Amino acid sequence: MTNESEPTRAYGPVEQTDDTRQAQHGLVNDAPVDVNYNAVAARSQSLTIDALGKGFAAAQERRQIIADKDLLPK
């Protein structure tokens, strides 16, 4: 009886999974390279979320500075 997650001598589902996993991401000169559309989309989405998070943090900091100025005695 064979285990389905063990490599076989023939090209089977385990080897195909390994190939697919390796095709998702590559490195050239130690820099990540997108090798297919899924990798491009994932990188774009992560950069968008990062930019939105930074904008939210900056807006919150700006609101805090304004609130602190309003609390100071005049």
Side-chain angles (χ1 to χ4, degrees), residues 42-61:
R43 184 176 304 278
S44 176
Q45 289 174 352
S46 67
L47 291 173
T48 300
I49 291 171
D50 181 54
L52 291 173
K54 288 178 181 176
F56 180 80
Q60 193 280 332
E61 186 176 341

Side-chain angles (χ1 to χ4, degrees), residues 1 4-5 10 15 39 41 45-46 49 55 58 63 70 74:
M1 182 164 202
E4 291 183 14
S5 64
E15 291 79 13
Q45 289 174 352
S46 67
I49 291 171
R63 287 191 297 268
D70 288 343
K74 297 182 182 187

